Amino acid sequence: MVAIKTITIMMILASSQAYAMQKLEDEALSSATGQDGITITLDSDIEMNRFMWIDNDGLQPIEGNNYNIDTPSKGVVSIGNETNKLKISGGQTRIKIDSDGGSGLPFLNLNVQLPDDLSIETGGVYVSGRDSDDALIAETQILDNMVINLGGLEMNIQLGNAPQTDMMRIYGVINNGIRVSNFGVMSSDGAEDHYAFKTDEILIKDAGAGNSDLTFNGVGVSVVPSGLRITPSAGKQVDVAMQEFSLGGTTSSAVSSVGNVFISGLGLGGTTLTISGH
């Protein structure tokens, strides 16, 4: 009788384990969790010393013109450095991830929702060379430490296939437009207090006196054989304002102030921007 009881218990345990290992169907998982997909929420600021792009072959001749460079060498463009860091802040970024069969054209869908008050501080933009030990040499600043205020955008990215026609579609409203503060381009002499031109603020918003925001109604970004293609919304028009635009240096004796500059009704619809390597 003891042996029979032992066998019975073992059969019950074996049956229970086999049931636990059975595949759960999607419908069962859905009812268990309430939804399919993955949501990732980023709730912290980002700070880094540098973001670098290295041009390994330097400036090669363009249509026979070497631009006075007899021996091209490796060059580096970097954003931020150890003292002026690249910073991104503003609140929660939410990423929603789903996979879809796509009626025979499957794809991964990434929906990225940026915070309403996203701010990017570049920490300055620099160019430099690289020595034999890959250390930066002769670092020269070319752009000022800018603050870029934007937010409220939604980017929907589809990988594998793209039923939305573009790899990425951008939607949303940037309240009070895109604002770039302290934009300055350094002149070729490399002096720290000298500029080719400078403006206190650049504002880009929807065209029209009654508008203050910048809307995105499906800007398309796609990878094509020639590179990365960006297509603005059809019929899109913007106004651009530059406050306290000046030429020359930063000292009062060198600055040649132009004043405020406005571009009204700049048409972007129908324009295609393609970025490619060479």
Side-chain angles (χ1 to χ4, degrees):
M1 293 296 293
V2 174
I4 294 174
K5 288 182 179 179
T6 303
I7 293 172
T8 302
I9 293 171
M10 290 178 64
M11 289 176 63
I12 292 172
L13 289 174
S15 176
S16 175
Q17 290 172 350
Y19 178 77
M21 295 298 290
Q22 287 179 358
K23 182 178 70 173
L24 289 174
E25 299 296 336
D26 186 66
E27 182 179 352
L29 283 172
S30 178
S31 58
T33 62
Q35 63 178 7
D36 292 340
I38 300 170
T39 297
I40 300 173
T41 301
L42 304 177
D43 196 20
S44 60
D45 296 341
I46 297 174
E47 182 178 294
M48 66 184 77
N49 286 350
R50 290 181 185 271
F51 175 86
M52 294 193 301
W53 163 57
I54 301 173
D55 185 347
N56 290 303
D57 64 356
L59 175 60
Q60 300 297 317
I62 299 175
E63 298 180 355
N65 194 334
N66 68 355
Y67 298 94
N68 206 30
I69 301 296
D70 294 327
T71 306
S73 60
K74 184 183 297 186
V76 180
V77 177
S78 56
I79 302 175
N81 59 23
E82 287 78 5
T83 55
N84 295 312
K85 300 179 186 294
L86 171 62
K87 301 176 183 178
I88 302 174
S89 60
Q92 289 188 345
T93 296
R94 184 169 287 107
I95 305 172
K96 295 184 177 181
I97 305 173
D98 292 275
S99 178
D100 193 285
S103 300
L105 298 172
F107 62 95
L108 177 67
N109 198 85
L110 304 172
N111 185 268
V112 182
Q113 298 172 5
L114 299 179
D116 291 336
D117 53 353
L118 179 66
S119 176
I120 302 172
E121 185 175 349
T122 65
V125 181
Y126 307 82
V127 291
S128 62
R130 300 273 273 190
D131 62 18
S132 57
D133 296 324
D134 259 353
L136 299 178
I137 55 174
E139 185 174 71
T140 303
Q141 187 171 2
I142 60 173
L143 288 174
D144 236 334
N145 178 14
M146 297 174 290
V147 178
I148 305 170
N149 293 306
L150 51 86
L153 291 183
E154 174 187 338
M155 297 177 289
N156 201 73
I157 305 167
Q158 293 180 340
L159 303 176
N161 291 285
Q164 65 183 5
T165 69
D166 293 297
M167 179 188 72
M168 181 188 300
R169 283 273 173 166
I170 303 176
Y171 301 88
V173 177
I174 299 179
N175 295 327
N176 301 313
I178 294 178
R179 293 180 180 270
V180 182
S181 303
N182 198 42
F183 179 82
V185 179
M186 303 293 186
S187 63
S188 59
D189 65 8
E192 291 184 1
D193 64 343
H194 200 74
Y195 294 86
F197 61 88
K198 181 177 175 65
T199 181
D200 289 352
E201 183 180 80
I202 300 174
L203 169 63
I204 304 174
K205 68 175 188 65
D206 290 337
N211 299 320
S212 60
D213 302 331
L214 181 64
T215 58
F216 289 77
N217 297 317
V219 175
V221 181
S222 294
V223 177
V224 296
S226 56
L228 188 68
R229 183 182 65 199
I230 303 173
T231 307
S233 306
K236 185 64 180 177
Q237 290 188 340
V238 299
D239 290 341
V240 181
M242 291 181 285
Q243 302 291 336
E244 295 298 329
F245 181 73
S246 61
L247 299 169
T250 57
T251 62
S252 58
S253 60
V255 169
S256 178
S257 178
V258 175
N260 299 337
V261 177
F262 298 90
I263 301 173
S264 178
L266 176 62
L268 300 178
T271 303
T272 299
L273 173 65
T274 301
I275 303 172
S276 58
H278 61 260

